[in-house]
Amino acid sequence: MTSPSPFLSICFLFLILNVSHCKTLKRDVKALNEIKASLGWRVVYAWVGDDPCGDGDLPPWSGVTCSTQGDYRVVTELEVYAVSIVGAFPTAVTNLLDLTRLDLHNNKLTGPIPPQIGRLKRLRTLNLRWNKLQDAIPPEIGELKQLTHLYLSFNNFKGEIPKELASLPELRYLYLHGNRFIGRIPPELGTLQNLRHLDVGNNHLVGTLRELIRFEGSFPALRNLYLSYNKMFGVVPSELAHIPRLIYLYLDHNQFTGRIPEPFYKHPYLKEMYIEGNAFRPGVKPIGVHRVLEVSDTEFLF
C-alpha cells in the first residue's frame, strides 16, 4: 500500500485514520452559535457541544450538514423547520457562505429577508414557505446564481415581484403563492430557460397574459403555470398555447374574458386548464377534469 501523498489535506488524512479531529471553520461556528442564540429553546436543546459539525464524541447539530474543504469542515446545509421558531429572520445565516440548502419553512419567522442573502453564492435551495415574513423581496436575491428552488409561499410579502428573479439562470421552481404581491408579473421571468413551475396564485397581481409572454419563446421549459386568485384581466391569447411543455394551466378566479383559443385544445402536452371564476363567454369549456392532481414529480408538491 502506497503512503498518502504529502499534498493530501489534514482532514482527508484524519478520515483515512478514522479520527474526527478536523476543525470546523471558525466563521461557521460563530454564525451557528449566533443562530443558536436567536432561535430559542426548541432548537437549542438539540444543539449541544462546541462544534456544530460534531467533534467525534458528539454528533453534528440537528439539521446541520457539513462537508470537508481543505483542512476544515464547512456548513453546507441548514434545515430547521416545523419547530415554531419565533422572531426575525436570523441574519447570521448569511455568514454561512458555503450553504447550498437553507430550509426554515413552517415556522413563525417575521420581518424581511435581509439584503445580505445575496452573499450565499452557492445556495441552490431556499425554502422559507409557511412563515410570517414580510416586506418586499430584496433585489439581492438575484445574486444567487446557482439557485434552482425558491419557495416563499404563504408569507406576508408585499410590493412587486422583483424582476431580479429573472437573473437566476438555474431557477426551476418558483413558488410565491399566498402573499400580498401587487403589480404585474415580470415578463422577464419568461426568459428563464430552466423554469418548470411558476406559482404566483393568491396574490393581488394585475396585468394581461399578453404582457406576460411578450418575449419571443417565453417559458421554454415551463410545465405548470399557476395564476389563480389574482386580478388579471383581458383575453387569453393563442400565443400562450405556444409554451411548448405546458401541462397544467390555472387561470381560475381572475377577470379574464373572451374565449379559449383553439390551439389550447391541440396542445400536445396540456392536460388540465382551470378557468372557473372568470368572465369567459358562455360555452367555454376547460381542458381536463377538475380533480386532485396526481403527478409523478414529487418536487411539484414540495
Side-chain angles (χ1 to χ4, degrees), residues 188-246:
E188 291 84 359
L189 294 178
T191 65
L192 292 172
Q193 297 298 302
N194 296 302
L195 188 64
R196 296 182 182 180
H197 299 286
L198 174 60
D199 184 349
V200 295
N202 285 74
N203 282 286
H204 306 289
L205 298 169
V206 298
T208 68
L209 293 170
R210 198 174 299 279
E211 291 170 331
L212 179 61
I213 56 170
R214 68 182 178 88
F215 292 106
E216 185 176 355
S218 289
F219 301 107
L222 199 68
R223 271 72 164 172
N224 180 72
L225 178 58
Y226 197 120
L227 305 175
S228 304
Y229 290 93
N230 278 290
K231 300 177 181 179
M232 299 184 70
F233 53 87
V235 300
V236 178
S238 59
E239 291 83 359
L240 189 67
H242 295 166
I243 298 178
R245 300 285 180 177
L246 194 62

Side-chain angles (χ1 to χ4, degrees), residues 153-217:
S153 298
F154 303 106
N155 279 282
N156 294 314
F157 292 116
K158 62 182 181 180
E160 297 188 353
I161 297 172
K163 64 180 180 179
E164 285 81 4
L165 291 174
S167 301
L168 303 176
E170 303 299 323
L171 193 62
R172 296 184 180 186
Y173 298 86
L174 177 56
Y175 287 83
L176 303 176
H177 189 104
N179 283 283
R180 293 187 290 163
F181 291 114
I182 60 172
R184 288 166 164 75
I185 304 168
E188 291 84 359
L189 294 178
T191 65
L192 292 172
Q193 297 298 302
N194 296 302
L195 188 64
R196 296 182 182 180
H197 299 286
L198 174 60
D199 184 349
V200 295
N202 285 74
N203 282 286
H204 306 289
L205 298 169
V206 298
T208 68
L209 293 170
R210 198 174 299 279
E211 291 170 331
L212 179 61
I213 56 170
R214 68 182 178 88
F215 292 106
E216 185 176 355

Side-chain angles (χ1 to χ4, degrees), residues 73 83 106 119 125 135 150-151 182 240 246 257 278 296:
R73 289 179 298 182
V83 288
N106 199 10
R119 302 179 65 203
T125 297
D135 295 343
L150 179 58
Y151 302 97
I182 60 172
L240 189 67
L246 194 62
T257 58
N278 285 286
S296 58

Side-chain angles (χ1 to χ4, degrees), residues 17-267:
L17 298 172
N18 197 28
V19 178
S20 300
H21 287 164
C22 183
K23 296 294 184 181
T24 302
L25 197 65
K26 288 183 179 180
R27 177 202 66 206
D28 288 5
V29 174
K30 180 181 178 183
L32 262 297
N33 275 293
E34 290 180 9
I35 296 168
K36 177 180 178 179
S38 68
L39 293 186
W41 68 268
R42 290 179 180 270
V43 176
V44 171
Y45 81 91
W47 284 11
V48 295
D50 297 325
D51 192 335
C53 296
D55 59 8
D57 296 322
L58 293 171
W61 290 2
S62 175
V64 175
T65 300
C66 303
S67 63
T68 298
Q69 287 189 8
D71 296 338
Y72 294 92
R73 289 179 298 182
V74 296
V75 177
T76 54
E77 297 184 11
L78 180 61
E79 300 175 275
V80 184
Y81 53 83
V83 288
S84 298
I85 298 170
V86 177
F89 182 97
T91 304
V93 164
T94 63
N95 293 324
L96 299 171
L97 301 183
D98 295 289
L99 274 186
T100 61
R101 181 181 183 86
L102 176 60
D103 188 345
L104 302 176
H105 83 269
N106 199 10
N107 285 296
K108 298 178 181 179
L109 293 173
T110 58
I113 298 176
Q116 296 93 318
I117 196 73
R119 302 179 65 203
L120 302 180
K121 306 298 184 184
R122 299 184 180 183
L123 200 63
R124 296 182 61 83
T125 297
L126 177 59
N127 188 355
L128 301 175
R129 64 193 175 109
W130 287 108
N131 276 286
K132 298 181 179 181
L133 296 166
Q134 56 202 63
D135 295 343
I137 298 176
E140 287 81 2
I141 207 162
E143 299 172 14
L144 308 179
K145 301 302 182 183
Q146 296 190 42
L147 200 66
T148 60
H149 295 65
L150 179 58
Y151 302 97
L152 300 179
S153 298
F154 303 106
N155 279 282
N156 294 314
F157 292 116
K158 62 182 181 180
E160 297 188 353
I161 297 172
K163 64 180 180 179
E164 285 81 4
L165 291 174
S167 301
L168 303 176
E170 303 299 323
L171 193 62
R172 296 184 180 186
Y173 298 86
L174 177 56
Y175 287 83
L176 303 176
H177 189 104
N179 283 283
R180 293 187 290 163
F181 291 114
I182 60 172
R184 288 166 164 75
I185 304 168
E188 291 84 359
L189 294 178
T191 65
L192 292 172
Q193 297 298 302
N194 296 302
L195 188 64
R196 296 182 182 180
H197 299 286
L198 174 60
D199 184 349
V200 295
N202 285 74
N203 282 286
H204 306 289
L205 298 169
V206 298
T208 68
L209 293 170
R210 198 174 299 279
E211 291 170 331
L212 179 61
I213 56 170
R214 68 182 178 88
F215 292 106
E216 185 176 355
S218 289
F219 301 107
L222 199 68
R223 271 72 164 172
N224 180 72
L225 178 58
Y226 197 120
L227 305 175
S228 304
Y229 290 93
N230 278 290
K231 300 177 181 179
M232 299 184 70
F233 53 87
V235 300
V236 178
S238 59
E239 291 83 359
L240 189 67
H242 295 166
I243 298 178
R245 300 285 180 177
L246 194 62
I247 299 175
Y248 298 105
L249 176 61
Y250 296 79
L251 303 177
D252 56 290
H253 298 93
N254 279 279
Q255 299 169 18
F256 295 121
T257 58
R259 295 186 180 276
I260 303 298
E262 187 65 23
F264 282 95
Y265 297 92
K266 298 179 180 179
H267 195 288

